[in-house]
Amino acid sequence: EAQVTQNPRYLITVTGKKLTVTCSQNMNHEYMSWYRQDPGLGLRQIYYSMNVEVTDKGDVPEGYKVSRKEKRNFPLILESPSPNQTSLYFCASNRQGFRYEQYFGPGTRLTVT
Amino acid sequence: GQQLNQSPQSMFIQEGEDVSMNCTSSSIFNTWLWYKQDPGEGPVLLIALYKAGELTSNGRLTAQFGTTRKDSFLNISASIPSDVGIYFCAGDAGGTSYGKLTFGQGTILTVHP
């Protein structure tokens, strides 16, 4: 089954404790993105990747890092999480040439206390 | 950055009623998209519009790309309980190879049986 998976689905952590949210897709898509969803703000792009070793900032990249060492994986790293990073996070992927047909993962709900 | 204003923010309707929602922008978009997010899931693409004035249907859903290229509309006819969810508009202003999307704030739809 074609899908985007994220882990963990739920995470509660404390300020300053480094964490990684994993994202994996099995569709051989070139493009992958991370979004955060906050009430009243819709989805805002954090980082995106056009292919292996090619990443760039989205609209709200501060406090986040990403890497793309393999085509299928695109982890999101919070080096020193803060409470304002409490949010619902989505990973998405799409195939080159089908740039609007983004497939979204199920989401990771992160709470930073 | 670019912003999309989506309205209404929420709707409470009876099963069988028709629904209308819209999205406006201060700048021109080349593509308009409508996504639906079911509770606990990631957004799923419903309709994509690529041309000003275009009217596209997907079952009971109809969406239009405004002639000014600054707005889009989504209509749902004869609503049913499974239409419940959050509907997002998204736009692509062009200029990137992978389709950088800007999302509206979302419309929360509740359908009473």
Side-chain angles (χ1 to χ4, degrees), chain A residues 13-45:
Chain A
T13 189
V14 296
T15 299
K17 185 176 181 181
K18 180 179 178 180
L19 66 92
T20 299
V21 183
T22 64
C23 173
S24 183
Q25 49 95 3
N26 63 1
M27 296 167 280
N28 202 35
H29 285 170
E30 289 80 13
Y31 300 144
M32 298 185 74
S33 301
W34 275 103
Y35 294 87
R36 60 178 288 173
Q37 183 180 7
D38 301 291
L41 297 177
L43 287 93
R44 294 178 293 167
Q45 190 182 57

Side-chain angles (χ1 to χ4, degrees), chain A residues 37 45 50 59 90 99-100, chain B residues 37 92 96-98 100:
Chain A
Q37 183 180 7
Q45 190 182 57
M50 295 171 66
D59 297 316
F90 288 101
R99 56 188 186 175
Y100 308 113
Chain B
Q37 183 180 18
D92 172 37
T96 70
S97 64
Y98 81 102
K100 185 182 186 309

Side-chain angles (χ1 to χ4, degrees), chain A residues 3 6 19-20 53 56 70 103 105 109:
Chain A
Q3 59 183 351
Q6 295 178 227
L19 66 92
T20 299
E53 302 291 2
D56 206 349
E70 303 167 289
Y103 291 81
R109 185 165 293 282

Side-chain angles (χ1 to χ4, degrees), chain B residues 37-82:
Chain B
Q37 183 180 18
D38 289 327
E41 303 288 335
V44 173
L45 181 64
L46 296 174
I47 293 178
L49 302 159
Y50 299 106
K51 190 176 175 181
E54 181 181 355
L55 186 71
T56 297
S57 294
N58 178 5
R60 293 177 296 104
L61 278 62
T62 302
Q64 184 162 25
F65 192 142
T67 53
T68 66
R69 295 169 63 192
K70 293 183 178 181
D71 55 11
S72 180
F73 308 88
L74 176 70
N75 296 315
I76 305 173
S77 62
S79 58
I80 58 178
S82 63

